[in-house]
Each structure stands twice: as structure tokens, then as C-alpha cells.
Amino acid sequence: MNQDPSGNRFITAILSTWAGVTDEGRAALKNVMPKLHCYLYPDGHYAIDFYATIWVMDMQAEPTPRILGSRFELPGVAMGNFKNDPLRFDGRGGLHHQTMLVTIDPVPGIESGLGWIHLSLDGSPVSSLPFDVIVHSKDPRRIEMPPVNRKNPTRAASSESTFSLMEFVRAYPDDESCLQSLWRNRYSPDGTNAQCPRCQEVRMFARYETKQQRQAWNCTHCGEYLYPTAGTIFHKSSTSLHLWFYAMYLMTSTRCGISAKQLERELGVTYKTAWRMAHRIRTYLMTTDGEPMGGTVEMDETYIGGRRSIKRGGRRGRPGPDSNKATVFGMVERQGNVMAVTVPNVKKATLMPHIQERVLPASIIYTDELRSYNPLAKAGYHHDRVSHSEHVYVSGDVHTNTIEGFWSLMKRGIDGVYHAVSAKHLQGYLNEYTWRYNHRSDERAQFETLLLRAARTPAP
């Protein structure tokens, strides 16, 4: 702890060296742009958070001042106590014999105010810069938990999650709550009244406990039964609805997918059961809606699985006709949804029906140089290409980087999570990745959206 001639207390910081000074007293610090906050505490502790950009210049050089050292950036956070020795900063570089004096005014620990940074070279003052002093009433070394109820955890406002694990546990604590949710979403929003297929009008329904543990509600007027699980992916499944719901939650909460082996460990079921659950969820619930695309649409094709033919010498590029790789065709609307489907080949007779079915006329279409896209202009589309063979990947607004980014996400997920998928079941995995991509920005949680589809989508 030191004092300057004015009687104010200040902190002395010795910076380590990296830039030399030729003649003592000839150099000056210029263009100092500090971003510094000093936090003061009543017990004498302080914390300094700073970031400064400094150039060292010889102000006596002719005809103009010249730079003696390179640009110097000094980030750091310092903590200490005014009752102890002066604080020493050891950063990633500094100025030889450079001293930074921080003068606090008013007296620390009383109130907030204005402080000054006194910069000097070998004891010779150079400049003074002001900074804000923020006074705190607690010790900065003490880490305290935010004021929350630990017995009732809530999702943080900064979290990207839209439906956390704690919210799932509270909403669906057991199998009965899952069945009630399915009943309300499918037949009875109020939980009591529903449309009776025999009476052909809204009747009151009730559920009675039976020895068969029947998952059904019956009409109190005619006795007709309604089964919430009938016709869904849960139909005739001996697996608990609670486990089904949790599997759906896990598959919608991940970004790159979850393997059946991991589902087996999470749910405590057999591998065959876990695989079947994941297969039915991605095959029947995560299908695309088939809404037409418009505006600007990017198209591309990719190849998944198999091994590159030895006859081609392992070269990069489009596989030959004898390749055992699965062919996938994809389209994405910019700032919109994506569609991916397995195709037998990339001939124009194969691709054009998919394009004309999903893309509105007069839309702008960007593709690569594949000749199968030649008929697009005659079909009424505004077509432009990007020449990948000439190592051109962006030409103004013309590029296919959006669909390429989706291919990258999907392939990294398959390689890292599933390792390999068969061509027979590849479409189901494409459904899973496209469904999560298309619902990535929804206000409603993906799990809740999938749950509504489970209640309203028939499954064989």
C-alpha cells in the first residue's frame, strides 16, 4: 500500500518486460485505450478487471515521433487487499520498468466515484486516465450461489433449452401422467368430455380400474371404449409409456442423435426394445410435413456409407455406378426447412419429380454443376450454378453452403453416434436429422411438438 503526494491511496503494478526503451525518459505511452473497472470492498479487498491497448512511442524522434514497441494488449483480472503489499501483475508481456499507478478517489470502501490511472516510465509521469470505481459490499473471494430455491430448480433465462429435464420430471412423473396427457391431446382437452363414436356427440367419459389394467375411457352413456394408445406407435406395446416419453425427450434434446445402445442404458430396457423404440419414433413421427418450398432453394446430393471403389483410385468426387454408397438428395429453403430423401441415382429422371413436387414454380434454385439440373430453367425455375470444379464456392448470393452445412451436421452425427447405418433404414435417420433441423427455432419445445404428433399421427 502506497500514497501519492496528494494523499490518495493507490495500487502499484509492475509489468513484465517485452519491449525495450532506448533512452531513458525519451519514450512516452500514447493511444492508451483502457477498459478498466475497480471493485472495492469495505474490508480492504479490491478487484481490478482491465483491458488496455498500448503503443510505446519516442516523442523526441525527428521529424515525427516513432513507435518503439509493437502494439501491446494487456488483459487481466487482479485481486488483493490494501492492507498487504502492492499487487504485481505478471501478464503475457509488458513494458520494461513500466509502472501503472491506480489512484482511488474518494477513499475506497466509502462510495462509488472516479479513479485515475497514472502511467509513468521509469518513474517519470506520462499521462493520467480516468476510470469508474464500483464499490461492492461483499468479499470478491467468496463464491455465493444465486438466490434460488434448490428444492425447486428452474430453467435459467440464458439457457437455450426449451424443456429441461426438471420440467419433464415434474410434468410426467409416472406412467399415469403420460396416459392422461395422451388422452387429453387426442380426445379430451378438458379430460372429461369427448366425442363418442357410437353416440355421435360429445359425451362424458370416465376411466375405471380393472384387473386387466385397461388403458381406456368409456362413455358413461353407452359404454363405448376409447383407447388413447390405439393406432399410435404405443399401440400394443408392453413398454411403459413413461419410458416411451423419456425416449422421445432424449431424441429431441440432442443435436447429433442418440444411439440405441445409449437408450438401452438410459431406459433400462433390452437393446432390441431400445432400437425398436428409436426406429418407430424417427420413422413414423419425425417425417417431414411436405410443405412446398419457395424463394431461394439450394439443392445438392451426397453419398453415405459403403467404401469408395478401388477402381477409382480412392479419388474424391461422385462415386461410380458400381459404388455401394447410398445416394441422398436434399433441398433446403434459405431461412427455412430442409428435405432429404434417399434416391437410387442422381439422374434427372430421378431428381426432377422430387423438385417439381416440393418447390414452387418461379423459385430461385442454386445447385452445383451436375447436368441432371439442366431441365430446371425449362421447368420454370430461375436456375444458377456454382462452379465447384473451378474451386469457386461462393459467387455473390450463389452458393450451396446451407445444404452443405446440413450434410456436415448429419454426417458428423452418423459417424460419431451411430458409426454406420444400413441403406434399408437410412431414410429413418434422415427423417430424424431433418426434423430436428426444421424445428430448431420453434418457440414450442421439440418434445412437446413430437408428443402432439404421437397423439395425432397414425402408425402401422
Side-chain angles (χ1 to χ4, degrees):
M1 190 65 197
N2 302 297
Q3 276 191 326
D4 64 8
S6 63
N8 293 323
R9 292 185 287 181
F10 60 87
I11 310 166
T12 302
I14 309 299
L15 305 181
S16 59
T17 179
W18 68 255
V21 178
T22 56
D23 297 329
E24 182 176 354
R26 291 186 58 195
L29 291 176
K30 292 296 181 182
N31 299 324
V32 182
M33 296 178 292
K35 297 179 181 178
L36 189 146
H37 295 284
C38 183
Y39 303 90
L40 307 174
Y41 304 87
D43 61 353
H45 287 92
Y46 62 86
I48 300 176
D49 182 7
F50 62 91
Y51 189 96
T53 303
I54 303 172
W55 286 267
V56 182
M57 302 183 67
D58 186 352
M59 303 305 295
Q60 299 180 12
E62 297 294 342
T64 58
R66 63 184 181 88
I67 298 178
L68 296 179
S70 303
R71 173 172 167 172
F72 170 58
E73 296 184 356
L74 178 66
V77 177
M79 302 176 66
N81 193 304
F82 284 108
K83 301 177 182 179
N84 301 330
D85 295 333
L87 176 68
R88 295 181 180 273
F89 291 89
D90 294 321
R92 292 175 295 175
L95 303 177
H96 183 60
H97 296 309
Q98 185 60 41
T99 303
M100 181 176 69
L101 305 181
V102 182
T103 301
I104 306 301
D105 184 23
V107 177
I110 303 300
E111 59 184 0
S112 299
L114 186 65
W116 290 87
I117 304 176
H118 293 295
L119 298 173
S120 62
L121 180 65
D122 296 330
S124 301
V126 175
S127 60
S128 297
L129 296 169
F131 67 92
D132 293 329
V133 176
I134 305 173
V135 177
H136 286 251
S137 59
K138 296 182 179 179
D139 190 334
R141 300 170 301 175
R142 185 178 305 161
I143 301 177
E144 297 186 358
M145 295 294 293
V148 296
N149 184 1
R150 298 177 60 182
K151 297 183 179 180
N152 184 29
T154 58
R155 176 159 37 93
S158 59
S159 173
E160 295 183 358
S161 171
T162 54
F163 197 77
S164 68
L165 176 62
M166 293 296 100
E167 291 171 309
F168 174 83
V169 172
R170 283 194 291 265
Y172 305 101
D174 50 28
D175 191 84
E176 179 63 25
S177 60
C178 298
L179 184 63
Q180 289 286 344
S181 173
L182 200 60
W183 162 252
R184 290 174 180 269
N185 288 331
R186 191 172 186 188
Y187 293 115
S188 177
D190 62 1
T192 303
N193 301 302
Q195 180 73 21
C196 179
R198 180 183 295 181
C199 300
Q200 295 296 314
E201 60 178 296
V202 177
R203 295 290 190 182
M204 180 179 294
F205 279 73
R207 182 166 180 250
Y208 302 101
E209 294 185 3
T210 61
K211 293 182 179 179
Q212 298 87 355
Q213 298 182 358
R214 182 177 292 164
Q215 295 178 330
W217 276 255
N218 67 317
C219 176
T220 57
H221 182 77
C222 67
E224 177 72 8
Y225 282 98
L226 287 180
Y227 296 84
T229 60
T232 68
I233 63 171
F234 317 116
H235 184 51
K236 293 185 178 180
S237 174
S238 58
T239 305
S240 168
L241 272 179
H242 200 198
L243 297 182
W244 273 103
F245 277 39
Y246 187 48
M248 293 164 59
Y249 171 78
L250 291 175
M251 293 183 66
T252 55
S253 298
T254 180
R255 184 168 181 261
C256 294
I258 181 171
S259 65
K261 198 64 181 177
Q262 182 63 27
L263 275 181
E264 173 195 347
R265 290 187 286 264
E266 293 281 350
L267 305 181
V269 297
T270 64
Y271 176 77
K272 292 176 62 176
T273 299
W275 188 93
R276 178 179 179 273
M277 293 170 70
H279 173 72
R280 293 184 68 83
I281 291 172
R282 67 169 63 100
T283 303
Y284 299 113
L285 299 186
M286 291 183 165
T287 55
T288 55
D289 297 329
E291 297 181 358
M293 298 181 180
T296 302
V297 180
E298 300 177 20
M299 299 180 185
D300 193 26
E301 62 288 336
T302 190
Y303 303 87
I304 298 177
R307 293 183 180 274
R308 189 169 300 276
S309 175
I310 300 178
K311 296 180 181 180
R312 295 177 59 89
R315 293 183 289 109
R316 294 176 61 86
R318 190 168 286 108
D322 58 341
S323 172
N324 56 358
K325 286 180 174 288
T327 307
V328 179
F329 173 64
M331 299 182 289
V332 60
E333 179 182 343
R334 290 191 179 174
Q335 308 299 324
N337 293 342
V338 68
M339 185 276 294
V341 60
T342 57
V343 291
N345 52 62
V346 293
K347 298 179 180 179
K348 62 181 179 181
T350 303
L351 302 186
M352 287 303 297
H354 289 285
I355 298 173
Q356 293 175 321
E357 179 185 356
R358 295 296 302 270
V359 183
L360 296 174
S363 299
I364 301 173
I365 297 180
Y366 296 145
T367 68
D368 56 17
E369 301 160 297
L370 183 66
R371 287 181 295 178
S372 300
Y373 300 120
N374 290 345
L376 287 175
K378 294 182 179 180
Y381 299 104
H382 301 283
H383 181 213
D384 207 343
R385 302 173 185 269
V386 57
S387 301
H388 289 169
S389 62
E390 300 178 3
H391 303 286
V392 176
Y393 301 97
V394 178
S395 178
D397 196 44
V398 182
H399 63 80
T400 57
N401 290 347
T402 309
I403 187 67
E404 295 280 2
F406 173 75
W407 292 148
S408 177
L409 175 66
M410 180 191 66
K411 289 183 177 181
R412 299 296 80 74
I414 291 178
D415 292 344
V417 177
Y418 305 111
H419 305 307
V421 296
S422 65
K424 176 181 178 180
H425 299 294
L426 177 59
Q427 186 60 55
Y429 292 91
L430 297 177
N431 293 344
E432 179 182 355
Y433 283 96
T434 56
W435 191 90
R436 278 197 297 263
Y437 183 93
N438 294 340
H439 294 276
R440 66 194 185 282
S441 301
D442 291 356
E443 294 184 2
R444 175 189 293 168
Q446 291 187 17
F447 168 73
E448 295 177 336
T449 302
L450 194 65
L451 191 59
L452 289 176
R453 295 200 68 173
R456 301 169 184 175
T457 302

